[in-house]
Short mmCIF file of all heavy atoms in Angstrom, two decimals:
data_model
loop_
_atom_site.label_atom_id
_atom_site.label_comp_id
_atom_site.label_asym_id
_atom_site.label_seq_id
_atom_site.Cartn_x
_atom_site.Cartn_y
_atom_site.Cartn_z
N MET A 1 -7.98 -19.40 15.01
CA MET A 1 -7.62 -18.92 13.69
C MET A 1 -8.80 -18.15 13.09
O MET A 1 -9.94 -18.56 13.26
CB MET A 1 -7.28 -20.09 12.78
CG MET A 1 -6.80 -19.62 11.42
SD MET A 1 -6.59 -20.98 10.24
CE MET A 1 -8.24 -21.15 9.65
N LEU A 2 -8.46 -17.05 12.44
CA LEU A 2 -9.46 -16.26 11.74
C LEU A 2 -9.22 -16.40 10.25
O LEU A 2 -8.22 -16.99 9.82
CB LEU A 2 -9.34 -14.80 12.15
CG LEU A 2 -9.47 -14.50 13.65
CD1 LEU A 2 -9.11 -13.05 13.93
CD2 LEU A 2 -10.88 -14.82 14.14
N ASP A 3 -10.08 -15.84 9.42
CA ASP A 3 -9.80 -15.82 7.99
C ASP A 3 -9.40 -14.41 7.57
O ASP A 3 -9.31 -13.49 8.38
CB ASP A 3 -10.99 -16.36 7.17
CG ASP A 3 -12.23 -15.50 7.29
OD1 ASP A 3 -12.12 -14.30 7.64
OD2 ASP A 3 -13.33 -16.01 7.00
N GLY A 4 -9.14 -14.23 6.29
CA GLY A 4 -8.66 -12.96 5.78
C GLY A 4 -9.60 -11.80 6.01
O GLY A 4 -9.18 -10.63 6.00
N ASN A 5 -10.87 -12.08 6.20
CA ASN A 5 -11.84 -11.00 6.45
C ASN A 5 -11.52 -10.23 7.72
O ASN A 5 -11.89 -9.07 7.85
CB ASN A 5 -13.26 -11.57 6.53
CG ASN A 5 -13.73 -12.08 5.18
OD1 ASN A 5 -13.68 -11.35 4.20
ND2 ASN A 5 -14.18 -13.32 5.14
N ALA A 6 -10.80 -10.85 8.63
CA ALA A 6 -10.46 -10.21 9.90
C ALA A 6 -9.50 -9.03 9.72
O ALA A 6 -9.37 -8.20 10.62
CB ALA A 6 -9.86 -11.23 10.87
N ILE A 7 -8.80 -8.99 8.60
CA ILE A 7 -7.88 -7.88 8.37
C ILE A 7 -8.36 -6.98 7.22
O ILE A 7 -7.55 -6.31 6.56
CB ILE A 7 -6.43 -8.37 8.10
CG1 ILE A 7 -6.39 -9.32 6.90
CG2 ILE A 7 -5.83 -8.98 9.34
CD1 ILE A 7 -4.99 -9.58 6.39
N ALA A 8 -9.65 -6.94 7.01
CA ALA A 8 -10.21 -6.12 5.93
C ALA A 8 -9.78 -4.66 6.06
O ALA A 8 -9.38 -4.03 5.08
CB ALA A 8 -11.74 -6.23 5.92
N GLY A 9 -9.83 -4.11 7.26
CA GLY A 9 -9.46 -2.71 7.46
C GLY A 9 -7.98 -2.47 7.18
O GLY A 9 -7.61 -1.48 6.56
N LEU A 10 -7.14 -3.38 7.63
CA LEU A 10 -5.70 -3.25 7.39
C LEU A 10 -5.40 -3.33 5.90
O LEU A 10 -4.62 -2.54 5.36
CB LEU A 10 -4.93 -4.33 8.14
CG LEU A 10 -3.41 -4.37 7.89
CD1 LEU A 10 -2.75 -3.06 8.32
CD2 LEU A 10 -2.80 -5.54 8.64
N LEU A 11 -6.03 -4.27 5.20
CA LEU A 11 -5.81 -4.41 3.75
C LEU A 11 -6.26 -3.15 3.01
O LEU A 11 -5.59 -2.70 2.09
CB LEU A 11 -6.55 -5.64 3.22
CG LEU A 11 -5.98 -6.99 3.67
CD1 LEU A 11 -6.92 -8.11 3.26
CD2 LEU A 11 -4.58 -7.19 3.13
N GLN A 12 -7.38 -2.59 3.42
CA GLN A 12 -7.87 -1.37 2.78
C GLN A 12 -6.89 -0.23 3.01
O GLN A 12 -6.61 0.56 2.10
CB GLN A 12 -9.24 -1.01 3.32
CG GLN A 12 -9.87 0.16 2.60
CD GLN A 12 -11.31 0.38 3.00
OE1 GLN A 12 -11.74 -0.01 4.08
NE2 GLN A 12 -12.08 1.01 2.13
N GLU A 13 -6.34 -0.15 4.21
CA GLU A 13 -5.37 0.90 4.54
C GLU A 13 -4.09 0.73 3.71
O GLU A 13 -3.57 1.68 3.13
CB GLU A 13 -5.03 0.82 6.03
CG GLU A 13 -4.21 1.95 6.55
CD GLU A 13 -4.02 1.86 8.06
OE1 GLU A 13 -4.06 0.75 8.63
OE2 GLU A 13 -3.82 2.91 8.66
N VAL A 14 -3.60 -0.50 3.61
CA VAL A 14 -2.35 -0.77 2.88
C VAL A 14 -2.52 -0.50 1.39
O VAL A 14 -1.69 0.14 0.77
CB VAL A 14 -1.90 -2.23 3.13
CG1 VAL A 14 -0.81 -2.63 2.15
CG2 VAL A 14 -1.43 -2.40 4.56
N PHE A 15 -3.60 -0.99 0.80
CA PHE A 15 -3.75 -0.90 -0.65
C PHE A 15 -4.28 0.45 -1.12
O PHE A 15 -4.38 0.67 -2.33
CB PHE A 15 -4.58 -2.06 -1.17
CG PHE A 15 -3.80 -3.34 -1.18
CD1 PHE A 15 -4.00 -4.29 -0.20
CD2 PHE A 15 -2.83 -3.56 -2.14
CE1 PHE A 15 -3.25 -5.45 -0.17
CE2 PHE A 15 -2.07 -4.72 -2.13
CZ PHE A 15 -2.28 -5.67 -1.14
N SER A 16 -4.59 1.35 -0.20
CA SER A 16 -4.97 2.70 -0.62
C SER A 16 -3.82 3.68 -0.37
O SER A 16 -3.94 4.86 -0.67
CB SER A 16 -6.23 3.17 0.12
OG SER A 16 -5.95 3.32 1.49
N ALA A 17 -2.71 3.17 0.14
CA ALA A 17 -1.55 4.02 0.43
C ALA A 17 -0.88 4.48 -0.86
O ALA A 17 -1.00 3.84 -1.90
CB ALA A 17 -0.55 3.25 1.30
N GLU A 18 -0.14 5.57 -0.79
CA GLU A 18 0.65 6.06 -1.92
C GLU A 18 1.74 5.03 -2.21
O GLU A 18 2.61 4.79 -1.37
CB GLU A 18 1.26 7.42 -1.57
CG GLU A 18 2.27 7.93 -2.57
CD GLU A 18 1.72 8.03 -3.99
OE1 GLU A 18 0.65 8.61 -4.18
OE2 GLU A 18 2.39 7.51 -4.92
N MET A 19 1.68 4.45 -3.40
CA MET A 19 2.58 3.33 -3.69
C MET A 19 3.89 3.75 -4.36
O MET A 19 4.85 3.00 -4.33
CB MET A 19 1.86 2.30 -4.56
CG MET A 19 0.69 1.64 -3.84
SD MET A 19 1.12 0.90 -2.24
CE MET A 19 2.10 -0.48 -2.81
N THR A 20 3.94 4.95 -4.97
CA THR A 20 5.19 5.32 -5.63
C THR A 20 6.30 5.61 -4.61
O THR A 20 7.48 5.49 -4.93
CB THR A 20 5.01 6.55 -6.54
OG1 THR A 20 4.52 7.64 -5.77
CG2 THR A 20 4.06 6.25 -7.68
N THR A 21 5.91 5.98 -3.41
CA THR A 21 6.91 6.22 -2.37
C THR A 21 7.12 5.01 -1.47
O THR A 21 7.97 5.04 -0.57
CB THR A 21 6.52 7.43 -1.51
OG1 THR A 21 5.23 7.20 -0.94
CG2 THR A 21 6.50 8.71 -2.34
N ALA A 22 6.35 3.95 -1.71
CA ALA A 22 6.55 2.72 -0.94
C ALA A 22 7.95 2.18 -1.25
O ALA A 22 8.45 2.31 -2.37
CB ALA A 22 5.50 1.68 -1.31
N ILE A 23 8.59 1.58 -0.26
CA ILE A 23 9.94 1.03 -0.44
C ILE A 23 9.82 -0.46 -0.72
O ILE A 23 9.35 -1.23 0.11
CB ILE A 23 10.80 1.26 0.82
CG1 ILE A 23 10.86 2.75 1.17
CG2 ILE A 23 12.20 0.68 0.62
CD1 ILE A 23 11.47 3.63 0.10
N GLY A 24 10.26 -0.82 -1.93
CA GLY A 24 10.25 -2.22 -2.32
C GLY A 24 11.65 -2.79 -2.26
O GLY A 24 12.62 -2.12 -2.59
N THR A 25 11.74 -4.04 -1.85
CA THR A 25 13.02 -4.74 -1.84
C THR A 25 13.01 -5.79 -2.94
O THR A 25 12.12 -6.64 -2.99
CB THR A 25 13.28 -5.41 -0.47
OG1 THR A 25 13.26 -4.40 0.54
CG2 THR A 25 14.61 -6.13 -0.45
N CYS A 26 13.98 -5.68 -3.82
CA CYS A 26 14.09 -6.60 -4.95
C CYS A 26 14.35 -8.03 -4.45
O CYS A 26 15.25 -8.24 -3.65
CB CYS A 26 15.21 -6.14 -5.87
SG CYS A 26 15.54 -7.25 -7.25
N GLY A 27 13.56 -8.97 -4.96
CA GLY A 27 13.74 -10.35 -4.57
C GLY A 27 14.99 -10.98 -5.15
O GLY A 27 15.47 -12.00 -4.65
N ALA A 28 15.55 -10.38 -6.18
CA ALA A 28 16.74 -10.95 -6.82
C ALA A 28 18.04 -10.43 -6.21
O ALA A 28 18.91 -11.20 -5.85
CB ALA A 28 16.70 -10.65 -8.31
N CYS A 29 18.17 -9.10 -6.07
CA CYS A 29 19.45 -8.54 -5.61
C CYS A 29 19.38 -7.96 -4.20
O CYS A 29 20.41 -7.62 -3.63
CB CYS A 29 19.96 -7.48 -6.59
SG CYS A 29 19.06 -5.91 -6.55
N GLY A 30 18.19 -7.80 -3.66
CA GLY A 30 18.05 -7.32 -2.29
C GLY A 30 18.12 -5.82 -2.13
O GLY A 30 18.03 -5.30 -1.02
N THR A 31 18.26 -5.09 -3.23
CA THR A 31 18.30 -3.64 -3.15
C THR A 31 16.91 -3.11 -2.81
O THR A 31 15.91 -3.57 -3.35
CB THR A 31 18.76 -3.03 -4.49
OG1 THR A 31 20.07 -3.51 -4.78
CG2 THR A 31 18.79 -1.51 -4.43
N ALA A 32 16.85 -2.11 -1.91
CA ALA A 32 15.59 -1.50 -1.52
C ALA A 32 15.54 -0.09 -2.07
O ALA A 32 16.54 0.63 -2.09
CB ALA A 32 15.46 -1.47 -0.01
N GLY A 33 14.36 0.31 -2.56
CA GLY A 33 14.19 1.66 -3.06
C GLY A 33 12.73 1.94 -3.34
O GLY A 33 11.89 1.04 -3.30
N PRO A 34 12.41 3.21 -3.62
CA PRO A 34 11.03 3.57 -3.87
C PRO A 34 10.49 2.93 -5.16
O PRO A 34 11.22 2.84 -6.15
CB PRO A 34 11.05 5.09 -3.97
CG PRO A 34 12.47 5.46 -4.23
CD PRO A 34 13.31 4.35 -3.68
N VAL A 35 9.26 2.51 -5.12
CA VAL A 35 8.62 1.89 -6.30
C VAL A 35 8.67 2.85 -7.48
O VAL A 35 8.84 2.44 -8.62
CB VAL A 35 7.17 1.47 -5.96
CG1 VAL A 35 6.43 1.03 -7.21
CG2 VAL A 35 7.18 0.36 -4.92
N GLY A 36 8.56 4.15 -7.19
CA GLY A 36 8.58 5.15 -8.26
C GLY A 36 9.90 5.21 -9.01
O GLY A 36 9.96 5.76 -10.10
N ALA A 37 10.96 4.64 -8.47
CA ALA A 37 12.26 4.64 -9.14
C ALA A 37 12.47 3.41 -10.01
O ALA A 37 13.46 3.32 -10.73
CB ALA A 37 13.38 4.73 -8.10
N ALA A 38 11.53 2.46 -9.95
CA ALA A 38 11.65 1.25 -10.78
C ALA A 38 11.50 1.63 -12.25
O ALA A 38 10.91 2.65 -12.59
CB ALA A 38 10.58 0.24 -10.38
N HIS A 39 12.09 0.82 -13.12
CA HIS A 39 11.98 1.05 -14.56
C HIS A 39 10.71 0.41 -15.09
O HIS A 39 10.42 -0.74 -14.79
CB HIS A 39 13.20 0.48 -15.28
CG HIS A 39 14.47 1.17 -14.90
ND1 HIS A 39 15.71 0.69 -15.24
CD2 HIS A 39 14.69 2.33 -14.21
CE1 HIS A 39 16.65 1.51 -14.79
NE2 HIS A 39 16.06 2.50 -14.15
N LEU A 40 9.95 1.16 -15.88
CA LEU A 40 8.65 0.71 -16.36
C LEU A 40 8.72 0.36 -17.83
O LEU A 40 9.27 1.13 -18.63
CB LEU A 40 7.61 1.81 -16.13
CG LEU A 40 6.17 1.48 -16.45
CD1 LEU A 40 5.25 2.26 -15.55
CD2 LEU A 40 5.84 1.77 -17.91
N TYR A 41 8.19 -0.79 -18.18
CA TYR A 41 8.12 -1.24 -19.58
C TYR A 41 6.67 -1.55 -19.89
O TYR A 41 5.99 -2.20 -19.10
CB TYR A 41 8.99 -2.48 -19.80
CG TYR A 41 10.45 -2.21 -19.59
CD1 TYR A 41 11.02 -2.26 -18.32
CD2 TYR A 41 11.27 -1.89 -20.67
CE1 TYR A 41 12.36 -1.99 -18.13
CE2 TYR A 41 12.62 -1.64 -20.49
CZ TYR A 41 13.16 -1.69 -19.22
OH TYR A 41 14.48 -1.41 -19.03
N ARG A 42 6.20 -1.07 -21.04
CA ARG A 42 4.81 -1.31 -21.44
C ARG A 42 4.76 -2.27 -22.62
O ARG A 42 5.54 -2.16 -23.55
CB ARG A 42 4.14 -0.02 -21.86
CG ARG A 42 3.85 0.91 -20.73
CD ARG A 42 3.16 2.17 -21.26
NE ARG A 42 2.97 3.13 -20.22
CZ ARG A 42 1.88 3.24 -19.47
NH1 ARG A 42 0.88 2.44 -19.69
NH2 ARG A 42 1.78 4.15 -18.53
N GLY A 43 3.82 -3.18 -22.55
CA GLY A 43 3.56 -4.11 -23.65
C GLY A 43 2.10 -4.47 -23.56
O GLY A 43 1.25 -3.58 -23.48
N ALA A 44 1.80 -5.76 -23.52
CA ALA A 44 0.41 -6.19 -23.30
C ALA A 44 -0.02 -5.79 -21.89
O ALA A 44 -1.21 -5.64 -21.62
CB ALA A 44 0.30 -7.69 -23.48
N GLY A 45 0.95 -5.61 -21.03
CA GLY A 45 0.72 -5.16 -19.66
C GLY A 45 1.87 -4.28 -19.28
O GLY A 45 2.59 -3.75 -20.14
N ILE A 46 2.07 -4.12 -18.00
CA ILE A 46 3.16 -3.29 -17.48
C ILE A 46 4.11 -4.18 -16.70
O ILE A 46 3.68 -5.04 -15.92
CB ILE A 46 2.59 -2.18 -16.56
CG1 ILE A 46 1.80 -1.17 -17.39
CG2 ILE A 46 3.71 -1.50 -15.78
CD1 ILE A 46 1.01 -0.20 -16.54
N ALA A 47 5.39 -3.97 -16.91
CA ALA A 47 6.41 -4.64 -16.11
C ALA A 47 7.25 -3.58 -15.42
O ALA A 47 7.67 -2.61 -16.05
CB ALA A 47 7.30 -5.53 -16.98
N LEU A 48 7.44 -3.74 -14.13
CA LEU A 48 8.36 -2.89 -13.37
C LEU A 48 9.63 -3.69 -13.13
O LEU A 48 9.57 -4.83 -12.64
CB LEU A 48 7.75 -2.47 -12.03
CG LEU A 48 6.60 -1.48 -12.08
CD1 LEU A 48 6.08 -1.24 -10.66
CD2 LEU A 48 7.02 -0.17 -12.71
N ARG A 49 10.77 -3.10 -13.49
CA ARG A 49 12.04 -3.80 -13.33
C ARG A 49 12.93 -3.07 -12.33
O ARG A 49 12.90 -1.84 -12.23
CB ARG A 49 12.76 -3.91 -14.67
CG ARG A 49 12.10 -4.87 -15.63
CD ARG A 49 12.90 -5.03 -16.91
NE ARG A 49 12.37 -6.09 -17.74
CZ ARG A 49 12.78 -7.37 -17.67
NH1 ARG A 49 13.72 -7.72 -16.82
NH2 ARG A 49 12.23 -8.27 -18.46
N CYS A 50 13.73 -3.81 -11.63
CA CYS A 50 14.69 -3.27 -10.67
C CYS A 50 15.70 -2.39 -11.41
O CYS A 50 16.31 -2.83 -12.39
CB CYS A 50 15.39 -4.42 -9.95
SG CYS A 50 16.71 -3.89 -8.83
N PRO A 51 15.92 -1.16 -10.95
CA PRO A 51 16.89 -0.29 -11.62
C PRO A 51 18.34 -0.72 -11.37
O PRO A 51 19.26 -0.21 -12.01
CB PRO A 51 16.62 1.10 -11.02
CG PRO A 51 15.97 0.83 -9.71
CD PRO A 51 15.22 -0.47 -9.86
N HIS A 52 18.56 -1.67 -10.48
CA HIS A 52 19.92 -2.11 -10.17
C HIS A 52 20.30 -3.40 -10.90
O HIS A 52 21.40 -3.51 -11.42
CB HIS A 52 20.09 -2.28 -8.66
CG HIS A 52 19.87 -1.01 -7.92
ND1 HIS A 52 20.84 -0.04 -7.80
CD2 HIS A 52 18.78 -0.51 -7.31
CE1 HIS A 52 20.34 1.00 -7.15
NE2 HIS A 52 19.09 0.74 -6.83
N CYS A 53 19.39 -4.38 -10.95
CA CYS A 53 19.75 -5.67 -11.56
C CYS A 53 18.84 -6.04 -12.73
O CYS A 53 19.05 -7.07 -13.35
CB CYS A 53 19.74 -6.78 -10.51
SG CYS A 53 18.08 -7.32 -10.00
N ASP A 54 17.84 -5.24 -13.01
CA ASP A 54 16.91 -5.43 -14.12
C ASP A 54 15.93 -6.59 -13.94
O ASP A 54 15.21 -6.95 -14.86
CB ASP A 54 17.68 -5.58 -15.45
CG ASP A 54 16.87 -5.13 -16.64
OD1 ASP A 54 16.12 -4.15 -16.49
OD2 ASP A 54 16.99 -5.74 -17.72
N ALA A 55 15.90 -7.20 -12.78
CA ALA A 55 14.93 -8.28 -12.53
C ALA A 55 13.52 -7.70 -12.54
O ALA A 55 13.31 -6.53 -12.18
CB ALA A 55 15.21 -8.94 -11.18
N VAL A 56 12.55 -8.51 -12.96
CA VAL A 56 11.15 -8.07 -12.94
C VAL A 56 10.66 -8.04 -11.50
O VAL A 56 10.72 -9.04 -10.79
CB VAL A 56 10.27 -9.00 -13.80
CG1 VAL A 56 8.81 -8.60 -13.67
CG2 VAL A 56 10.71 -8.97 -15.26
N LEU A 57 10.21 -6.87 -11.08
CA LEU A 57 9.68 -6.71 -9.73
C LEU A 57 8.19 -7.00 -9.69
O LEU A 57 7.68 -7.63 -8.77
CB LEU A 57 9.91 -5.28 -9.23
CG LEU A 57 11.36 -4.83 -9.12
CD1 LEU A 57 11.43 -3.34 -8.82
CD2 LEU A 57 12.06 -5.63 -8.04
N ALA A 58 7.47 -6.49 -10.70
CA ALA A 58 6.01 -6.61 -10.71
C ALA A 58 5.49 -6.60 -12.13
O ALA A 58 6.11 -6.01 -13.02
CB ALA A 58 5.40 -5.45 -9.92
N LYS A 59 4.38 -7.28 -12.33
CA LYS A 59 3.69 -7.27 -13.62
C LYS A 59 2.24 -6.90 -13.33
O LYS A 59 1.64 -7.41 -12.37
CB LYS A 59 3.76 -8.64 -14.29
CG LYS A 59 5.17 -9.03 -14.70
CD LYS A 59 5.24 -10.42 -15.23
CE LYS A 59 5.42 -11.38 -14.09
NZ LYS A 59 5.63 -12.77 -14.46
N ILE A 60 1.70 -6.02 -14.15
CA ILE A 60 0.33 -5.56 -13.97
C ILE A 60 -0.38 -5.61 -15.32
O ILE A 60 0.12 -5.08 -16.30
CB ILE A 60 0.28 -4.12 -13.41
CG1 ILE A 60 1.06 -4.04 -12.10
CG2 ILE A 60 -1.16 -3.67 -13.22
CD1 ILE A 60 1.28 -2.63 -11.58
N VAL A 61 -1.52 -6.26 -15.33
CA VAL A 61 -2.34 -6.33 -16.53
C VAL A 61 -3.73 -5.85 -16.17
O VAL A 61 -4.26 -6.20 -15.12
CB VAL A 61 -2.40 -7.78 -17.08
CG1 VAL A 61 -3.34 -7.87 -18.28
CG2 VAL A 61 -1.00 -8.26 -17.45
N ARG A 62 -4.30 -5.05 -17.04
CA ARG A 62 -5.61 -4.46 -16.76
C ARG A 62 -6.53 -4.61 -17.96
O ARG A 62 -6.10 -4.46 -19.10
CB ARG A 62 -5.43 -2.98 -16.45
CG ARG A 62 -6.72 -2.28 -16.17
CD ARG A 62 -6.52 -0.81 -15.89
NE ARG A 62 -7.81 -0.24 -15.59
CZ ARG A 62 -7.99 0.84 -14.90
NH1 ARG A 62 -6.95 1.51 -14.47
NH2 ARG A 62 -9.20 1.29 -14.67
N ASN A 63 -7.80 -4.89 -17.69
CA ASN A 63 -8.82 -4.78 -18.73
C ASN A 63 -9.85 -3.78 -18.23
O ASN A 63 -9.58 -3.02 -17.30
CB ASN A 63 -9.40 -6.14 -19.12
CG ASN A 63 -10.31 -6.75 -18.05
OD1 ASN A 63 -10.69 -6.09 -17.09
ND2 ASN A 63 -10.64 -8.02 -18.22
N ASP A 64 -11.03 -3.75 -18.80
CA ASP A 64 -12.02 -2.74 -18.44
C ASP A 64 -12.54 -2.87 -17.01
O ASP A 64 -13.00 -1.89 -16.42
CB ASP A 64 -13.21 -2.80 -19.40
CG ASP A 64 -12.82 -2.35 -20.79
OD1 ASP A 64 -11.79 -1.65 -20.93
OD2 ASP A 64 -13.54 -2.71 -21.75
N SER A 65 -12.48 -4.05 -16.44
CA SER A 65 -13.10 -4.23 -15.13
C SER A 65 -12.20 -4.87 -14.07
O SER A 65 -12.58 -4.94 -12.90
CB SER A 65 -14.37 -5.09 -15.26
OG SER A 65 -14.05 -6.36 -15.80
N ARG A 66 -11.02 -5.34 -14.46
CA ARG A 66 -10.17 -6.02 -13.48
C ARG A 66 -8.70 -5.66 -13.68
O ARG A 66 -8.29 -5.28 -14.77
CB ARG A 66 -10.31 -7.54 -13.58
CG ARG A 66 -11.67 -8.04 -13.17
CD ARG A 66 -11.73 -9.57 -13.26
NE ARG A 66 -13.03 -10.05 -12.85
CZ ARG A 66 -13.32 -10.40 -11.60
NH1 ARG A 66 -12.40 -10.37 -10.69
NH2 ARG A 66 -14.55 -10.80 -11.28
N VAL A 67 -7.94 -5.84 -12.60
CA VAL A 67 -6.50 -5.65 -12.66
C VAL A 67 -5.85 -6.88 -12.04
O VAL A 67 -6.26 -7.33 -10.96
CB VAL A 67 -6.05 -4.39 -11.86
CG1 VAL A 67 -4.55 -4.24 -11.87
CG2 VAL A 67 -6.72 -3.14 -12.42
N TRP A 68 -4.85 -7.44 -12.74
CA TRP A 68 -4.10 -8.58 -12.24
C TRP A 68 -2.72 -8.06 -11.86
O TRP A 68 -2.05 -7.41 -12.67
CB TRP A 68 -3.96 -9.65 -13.31
CG TRP A 68 -5.24 -10.36 -13.60
CD1 TRP A 68 -5.67 -11.54 -13.08
CD2 TRP A 68 -6.26 -9.94 -14.53
NE1 TRP A 68 -6.89 -11.87 -13.62
CE2 TRP A 68 -7.28 -10.91 -14.50
CE3 TRP A 68 -6.42 -8.83 -15.38
CZ2 TRP A 68 -8.43 -10.81 -15.28
CZ3 TRP A 68 -7.55 -8.73 -16.15
CH2 TRP A 68 -8.55 -9.71 -16.09
N ILE A 69 -2.29 -8.35 -10.64
CA ILE A 69 -1.02 -7.85 -10.13
C ILE A 69 -0.16 -9.02 -9.67
O ILE A 69 -0.59 -9.82 -8.83
CB ILE A 69 -1.26 -6.89 -8.94
CG1 ILE A 69 -2.22 -5.78 -9.34
CG2 ILE A 69 0.06 -6.33 -8.44
CD1 ILE A 69 -2.74 -4.98 -8.16
N ASP A 70 1.03 -9.10 -10.22
CA ASP A 70 1.99 -10.13 -9.83
C ASP A 70 3.17 -9.42 -9.17
O ASP A 70 3.91 -8.68 -9.82
CB ASP A 70 2.45 -10.90 -11.07
CG ASP A 70 3.52 -11.93 -10.75
OD1 ASP A 70 4.13 -11.89 -9.66
OD2 ASP A 70 3.76 -12.79 -11.62
N LEU A 71 3.33 -9.60 -7.87
CA LEU A 71 4.41 -8.96 -7.12
C LEU A 71 5.50 -9.96 -6.74
O LEU A 71 6.23 -9.74 -5.78
CB LEU A 71 3.84 -8.28 -5.86
CG LEU A 71 2.79 -7.20 -6.09
CD1 LEU A 71 2.22 -6.72 -4.76
CD2 LEU A 71 3.37 -6.04 -6.87
N THR A 72 5.61 -11.01 -7.51
CA THR A 72 6.55 -12.08 -7.18
C THR A 72 7.97 -11.58 -7.00
O THR A 72 8.70 -12.08 -6.14
CB THR A 72 6.53 -13.16 -8.28
OG1 THR A 72 5.19 -13.61 -8.45
CG2 THR A 72 7.41 -14.33 -7.93
N GLY A 73 8.37 -10.58 -7.77
CA GLY A 73 9.76 -10.11 -7.72
C GLY A 73 10.07 -9.17 -6.57
O GLY A 73 11.22 -8.78 -6.39
N ILE A 74 9.06 -8.78 -5.81
CA ILE A 74 9.29 -7.88 -4.67
C ILE A 74 9.30 -8.71 -3.39
O ILE A 74 8.29 -9.32 -3.03
CB ILE A 74 8.22 -6.78 -4.61
CG1 ILE A 74 8.29 -5.89 -5.85
CG2 ILE A 74 8.42 -5.93 -3.34
CD1 ILE A 74 7.25 -4.81 -5.90
N ARG A 75 10.44 -8.72 -2.72
CA ARG A 75 10.57 -9.49 -1.48
C ARG A 75 9.71 -8.90 -0.38
O ARG A 75 8.99 -9.61 0.30
CB ARG A 75 12.04 -9.52 -1.06
CG ARG A 75 12.29 -10.38 0.16
CD ARG A 75 13.74 -10.37 0.57
NE ARG A 75 14.63 -10.75 -0.54
CZ ARG A 75 15.92 -10.49 -0.56
NH1 ARG A 75 16.51 -9.86 0.43
NH2 ARG A 75 16.65 -10.85 -1.59
N THR A 76 9.83 -7.59 -0.19
CA THR A 76 9.00 -6.91 0.81
C THR A 76 8.59 -5.55 0.27
O THR A 76 9.26 -4.99 -0.60
CB THR A 76 9.74 -6.69 2.15
OG1 THR A 76 10.88 -5.89 1.91
CG2 THR A 76 10.14 -7.98 2.81
N LEU A 77 7.51 -5.02 0.78
CA LEU A 77 7.01 -3.72 0.39
C LEU A 77 6.65 -2.96 1.65
O LEU A 77 5.84 -3.43 2.46
CB LEU A 77 5.78 -3.89 -0.52
CG LEU A 77 5.26 -2.66 -1.24
CD1 LEU A 77 6.33 -2.08 -2.17
CD2 LEU A 77 4.03 -3.04 -2.05
N GLU A 78 7.29 -1.81 1.83
CA GLU A 78 7.07 -1.00 3.04
C GLU A 78 6.28 0.24 2.65
O GLU A 78 6.73 1.03 1.83
CB GLU A 78 8.42 -0.61 3.63
CG GLU A 78 8.35 0.32 4.82
CD GLU A 78 9.75 0.75 5.27
OE1 GLU A 78 10.74 0.06 4.96
OE2 GLU A 78 9.82 1.80 5.91
N VAL A 79 5.09 0.41 3.22
CA VAL A 79 4.24 1.55 2.87
C VAL A 79 4.01 2.42 4.10
O VAL A 79 4.02 1.95 5.22
CB VAL A 79 2.87 1.11 2.31
CG1 VAL A 79 3.04 0.31 1.03
CG2 VAL A 79 2.08 0.32 3.32
N THR A 80 3.83 3.71 3.86
CA THR A 80 3.49 4.64 4.93
C THR A 80 1.98 4.71 5.00
O THR A 80 1.31 4.93 4.00
CB THR A 80 4.05 6.03 4.62
OG1 THR A 80 5.46 5.93 4.49
CG2 THR A 80 3.71 7.02 5.72
N VAL A 81 1.44 4.49 6.18
CA VAL A 81 -0.03 4.52 6.36
C VAL A 81 -0.43 5.66 7.28
O VAL A 81 0.39 6.22 7.98
CB VAL A 81 -0.57 3.19 6.92
CG1 VAL A 81 -0.38 2.11 5.88
CG2 VAL A 81 0.08 2.83 8.21
ZN1 LIG B 101 17.36 -6.06 -8.15
#
């Protein structure tokens, strides 16, 4: 067994990919589509909602030095690398 450091290069490749064209699958209804087509709501942070069932796909909160990302609502995310 290795630890997460063993996939440092893969993680860097995945998280630097163009994310608006990544295909996300909604954890609630199973619909797949580009992240850029999700509905965006702004408040204290950002919420991305499924355009088909309105479930929350992702929540993003940012301050001056950090970003918190909750992808609980996305079952899978397919990115082009
Ligand atoms: Zn949905």
Side-chain angles (χ1 to χ4, degrees):
M1 184 187 84
L2 303 171
D3 64 21
N5 291 307
I7 58 167
L10 176 61
L11 291 171
Q12 186 172 24
E13 189 175 27
V14 167
F15 285 103
S16 66
E18 171 57 50
M19 295 306 290
T20 58
T21 57
I23 303 299
T25 301
C26 175
C29 74
T31 300
V35 171
H39 295 169
L40 185 150
Y41 295 85
R42 289 181 185 267
I46 291 169
L48 290 177
R49 290 185 172 269
C50 175
H52 299 278
C53 75
D54 208 35
V56 175
L57 299 171
K59 294 175 274 186
I60 303 170
V61 176
R62 178 181 182 157
N63 72 11
D64 292 339
S65 60
R66 293 182 179 268
V67 177
W68 289 264
I69 305 167
D70 176 344
L71 300 174
T72 305
I74 297 178
R75 184 181 305 162
T76 60
L77 191 61
E78 176 185 338
V79 298
T80 301
V81 293

